């Protein structure tokens, strides 16, 4: 009789324990673990072309241990999410969005929260909603509701992206219609050259102003009160841009790792000559992102080289190709320093080869830029590609707005040194013969 009572108590305790686990861990995770014994794939969608798909294996204790640590936060997020969904069904969208944003801050990798947020914002921003559905599926590929929502939105989002790329392409074609000797366009190109160097250095913390950057490049004179390092950063970017415009734009064949090393060699040549053009031999840390170790980096770079020379890359739109090449390189982070500047130059190399002007990512956009790179690390690189597309369109708009009907036949009034710099920085340069390339090299050599 006694053993029967013991058995009943044991069964009741077991049921209570199972109920507790299902509540805290989440029913979908238990089912997923039972089916596959593997935690959802966390490999970034953008990196599927770099590395083979990987799965992290967890046992039940690992899952429980991780969730018990965040037990209170997860429970709070779940309660708030349910309240937000109720408000949404009652028609109070603003409060629902605010509550779900709070949920995201509490539990940023909760697929239910991401899916719920996507559903609430979908009527006003289908692209952002689709992004949240995609992240939910990266975290938990078996999330049926997120999959259904994403399938519903996919065609509309693709149509919007295609419309944006077509609009940008039409502006590029409009820019190519402007005569190459147009004075206003030449002034815009020269100013863009200075601004490109100013902003890309500014993103990395350089404190030189635009006028100081322009003065250093035009006069070769130092600016008082500023460090030698900051001056040398300007000179390094100037040298790297000239190398791209003189040599790489017209060089036949795909971009390769040697080209990237040569760009980096010039970027860091004046500031860190011992590290310039060399891969790092130690582990680095970039915020929340931990790049591959020096030992693993070799296979990442090999895969990156294969991607650069693959047929698949030719099927991409130039803006997609440029943004992805930037992201892949900065993800690998192969250098001790200068990874961001080199990645942005690589991005512009792809754009310039396709007939686009070099894109300027302004230093004021630094935090959005970093945030979108982090979002790409989470599993959806499309927001970063759209950011590059917006910067491309902004750059095209600046060029087009600088040219008016009155200026179409005006004479150039640029300084002699400015004209020489401009000839080195010609995003529409189609020179292919050895004679033309030698002429450009000779002129640019006088400025270095």
């Amino acid at each position: 009789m006694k053993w029967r009572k013991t058995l009943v108590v044991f069964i009741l305790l077991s049921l209570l324990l199972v109920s507790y686990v299902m509540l805290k861990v989440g029913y979908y995770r238990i089912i997923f673990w039972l089916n596959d014994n593997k935690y959802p794939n966390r490999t970034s969608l953008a990196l599927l072309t770099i590395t083979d798909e990987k799965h992290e294996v967890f046992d039940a204790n690992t899952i429980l241990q991780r969730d018990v640590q965040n037990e209170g936060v997860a429970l709070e997020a779940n309660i708030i999410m349910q309240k937000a969904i109720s408000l949404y069904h009652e028609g109070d969208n603003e409060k629902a969005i605010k509550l779900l944003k709070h949920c995201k801050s509490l539990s940023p990798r909760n697929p239910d929260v991401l899916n719920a947020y996507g559903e609430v914002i979908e009527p006003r921003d289908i692209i952002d909603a689709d992004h949240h559905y995609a992240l939910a599926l990266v975290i938990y590929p078996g999330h049926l509701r997120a999959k259904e929502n994403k399938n519903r939105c996919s065609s509309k989002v693709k149509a919007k992206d295609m419309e944006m790329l077509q609009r940008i392409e039409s502006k590029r074609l409009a820019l190519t219609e402007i005569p190459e000797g147009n004075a206003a366009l030449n002034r815009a190109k020269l100013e863009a050259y200075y601004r490109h160097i100013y902003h890309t250095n500014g993103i990395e913390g350089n404190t030189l102003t635009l006028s100081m950057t322009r003065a250093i490049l035009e006069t070769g004179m130092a600016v008082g009160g500023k460090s030698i390092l900051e001056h040398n950063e300007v000179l390094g970017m100037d040298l790297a841009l000239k190398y791209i415009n003189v040599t790489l734009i017209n060089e036949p064949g795909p971009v390769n790792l040697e080209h990237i090393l040569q760009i980096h060699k010039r970027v860091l040549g004046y500031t860190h000559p011992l590290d310039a053009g060399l891969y790092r031999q130690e582990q680095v840390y970039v915020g929340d992102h931990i790049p591959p170790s020096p030992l693993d980096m070799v296979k990442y770079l090999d895969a990156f080289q294969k991607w650069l020379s693959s047929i698949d890359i030719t099927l991409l739109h130039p803006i997609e190709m440029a943004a992805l090449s930037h992201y892949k390189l900065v993800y690998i982070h192969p250098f001790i320093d200068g990874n961001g500047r080199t990645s942005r130059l690589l991005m512009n190399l792809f754009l310039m080869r396709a007939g686009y002007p070099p894109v300027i990512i302004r230093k004021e956009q630094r935090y959005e830029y970093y945030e979108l790179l982090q979002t790409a690390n989470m599993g959806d690189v499309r927001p970063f590609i759209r950011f590059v597309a917006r910067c491309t369109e902004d750059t095209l708009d600046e060029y087009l707005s600088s040219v008016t009907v009155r200026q179409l036949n005006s004479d150039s009034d640029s300084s002699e040194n400015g004209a020489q710099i401009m000839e080195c920085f010609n995003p529409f340069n189609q020179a292919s013969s050895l004679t033309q390339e030698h002429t450009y090299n000779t002129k640019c050599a006088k400025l270095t």
Side-chain angles (χ1 to χ4, degrees):
M1 195 70 178
K2 186 177 180 181
W3 68 269
R4 290 183 179 177
K5 290 182 180 179
T6 305
L7 179 62
V8 170
V9 171
F10 177 78
I11 292 172
L12 289 174
L13 288 174
S14 299
L15 290 172
L16 286 172
L17 179 61
V18 170
S19 300
Y20 177 83
V21 169
M22 291 179 69
L23 175 65
K24 301 303 181 184
V25 177
Y27 177 74
Y28 67 87
R29 289 186 181 176
I30 293 296
I31 295 300
F32 188 83
W33 178 76
L34 290 173
N35 287 339
D36 197 14
N37 197 29
K38 290 183 178 181
Y39 195 69
N41 171 36
R42 290 174 180 265
T43 304
S44 169
L45 294 178
L47 296 177
L48 293 180
T49 53
I50 291 184
T51 59
D52 294 331
E53 192 171 351
K54 297 178 181 177
H55 293 274
E56 297 179 81
V57 180
F58 292 86
D59 57 24
N61 291 330
T62 306
I63 298 176
L64 285 169
Q65 191 175 31
R66 186 195 60 230
D67 282 349
V68 167
Q69 289 174 349
N70 300 317
E71 174 185 322
V73 174
L75 184 60
E76 181 184 355
N78 185 60
I79 293 171
I80 295 173
M81 180 182 69
Q82 296 302 328
K83 177 63 176 175
I85 293 172
S86 298
L87 288 171
Y88 173 67
H89 289 309
E90 292 170 7
D92 196 344
N93 294 355
E94 295 301 325
K95 278 190 177 179
I97 290 173
K98 287 181 181 178
L99 287 177
L100 285 170
K101 283 182 177 179
H102 182 51
C103 281
K104 283 172 53 182
S105 65
L106 288 173
S107 188
R109 296 193 65 84
N110 185 321
D112 290 328
V113 170
L114 293 169
N115 179 71
Y117 183 78
E119 290 178 344
V120 171
I121 66 169
E122 185 178 329
R124 63 176 67 184
D125 191 346
I126 192 172
I127 291 178
D128 196 23
D130 180 72
H131 163 61
H132 282 82
Y133 300 146
L135 289 183
L137 288 171
V138 168
I139 296 166
Y140 176 52
H143 200 292
L144 297 179
R145 190 154 181 172
K147 189 177 295 185
E148 179 185 341
N149 290 332
K150 190 169 189 322
N151 289 339
R152 185 184 64 253
C153 295
S154 183
S155 59
K156 296 178 182 177
V157 171
K158 286 180 181 177
K160 284 180 175 288
D161 287 338
M162 186 59 64
E163 180 184 348
M164 173 188 63
L165 292 174
Q166 289 173 348
R167 184 178 66 247
I168 295 172
E169 179 66 16
S170 67
K171 292 181 179 181
R172 184 193 70 82
L173 292 173
L175 189 59
T176 60
E177 294 296 322
I178 300 171
E180 196 170 315
N182 177 260
L185 182 60
N186 285 338
R187 282 193 293 270
K189 290 179 183 179
L190 181 57
E191 183 61 21
Y193 185 86
Y194 298 140
R195 290 177 63 240
H196 185 281
I197 294 176
Y198 161 69
H199 283 291
T200 198
N201 282 335
I203 288 173
E204 306 302 327
N206 190 296
T207 63
L208 289 168
T209 65
L210 177 58
S211 60
M212 290 176 180
T213 301
R214 185 187 293 109
I216 292 169
L217 294 172
E218 286 185 338
T219 67
M221 301 292 289
V223 176
K226 295 296 180 180
S227 68
I228 295 175
L229 179 68
E230 291 186 317
H231 284 75
N232 285 338
E233 286 177 344
V234 171
L235 297 176
M237 279 300 301
D238 180 41
L239 195 61
L241 277 168
K242 288 171 182 173
Y243 171 66
I244 288 174
N245 283 282
V246 170
T247 305
L248 294 187
I249 286 182
N250 303 305
E251 187 167 308
V255 176
N256 56 52
L257 292 179
E258 182 58 31
H259 295 150
I260 296 172
L261 285 172
Q262 290 300 319
I263 292 172
H264 182 260
K265 184 177 181 179
R266 287 157 176 79
V267 169
L268 250 61
Y270 291 107
T271 56
H272 303 289
L274 296 181
D275 296 322
L278 299 173
Y279 295 129
R280 59 182 168 85
Q281 298 299 318
E282 58 191 74
Q283 183 64 57
V284 294
Y285 302 90
V286 189
D288 295 332
H289 172 54
I290 303 177
S293 69
L295 292 176
D296 292 335
M297 195 173 69
V298 176
K299 64 181 179 183
Y300 278 81
L301 288 170
D302 288 343
F304 185 41
Q305 175 64 75
K306 290 178 183 177
W307 180 78
L308 287 171
S309 56
S310 68
I311 298 176
D312 293 341
I313 197 173
T314 62
L315 303 177
L316 297 171
H317 188 279
I319 292 176
E320 294 176 310
M321 187 193 311
L324 282 173
S325 65
H326 175 300
Y327 171 67
K328 288 173 185 288
L329 183 63
V330 84
Y331 180 91
I332 299 170
H333 228 74
F335 308 113
I336 285 291
D337 192 18
N339 293 278
R341 283 166 286 176
T342 303
S343 296
R344 290 188 288 276
L345 286 169
L346 176 64
M347 174 185 74
N348 277 326
L349 171 59
F350 278 107
L351 288 172
M352 292 160 73
R353 279 189 167 191
Y356 286 86
V359 169
I360 297 173
I361 298 177
R362 293 180 289 110
K363 61 183 291 186
E364 293 81 11
Q365 297 172 299
R366 175 194 301 150
Y367 297 110
E368 181 185 7
Y369 168 63
Y370 288 153
E371 184 179 352
L372 290 172
L373 286 172
Q374 183 61 35
T375 299
N377 289 341
M378 291 175 64
D380 189 2
V381 74
R382 294 173 303 165
F384 180 68
I385 295 174
R386 294 183 187 112
F387 172 76
V388 172
R390 289 201 309 273
C391 292
T392 304
E393 187 169 19
D394 290 342
T395 302
L396 286 167
D397 287 339
E398 288 174 5
Y399 276 109
L400 291 171
S401 65
S402 67
V403 180
T404 64
V405 176
R406 289 185 180 182
Q407 293 171 323
L408 287 176
N409 296 315
S410 62
D411 296 327
S412 175
D413 58 356
S414 301
S415 65
E416 182 180 352
N417 191 44
Q420 290 183 15
I421 292 178
M422 196 58 255
E423 200 156 300
C424 295
F425 183 68
N426 184 0
F428 314 108
N429 172 23
Q430 299 298 325
S432 57
S433 69
L434 292 175
T435 307
Q436 288 173 304
E437 189 170 322
H438 173 73
T439 304
Y440 285 124
N441 270 305
T442 304
K443 291 182 179 179
C444 293
K446 296 177 182 177
L447 300 173
T448 58

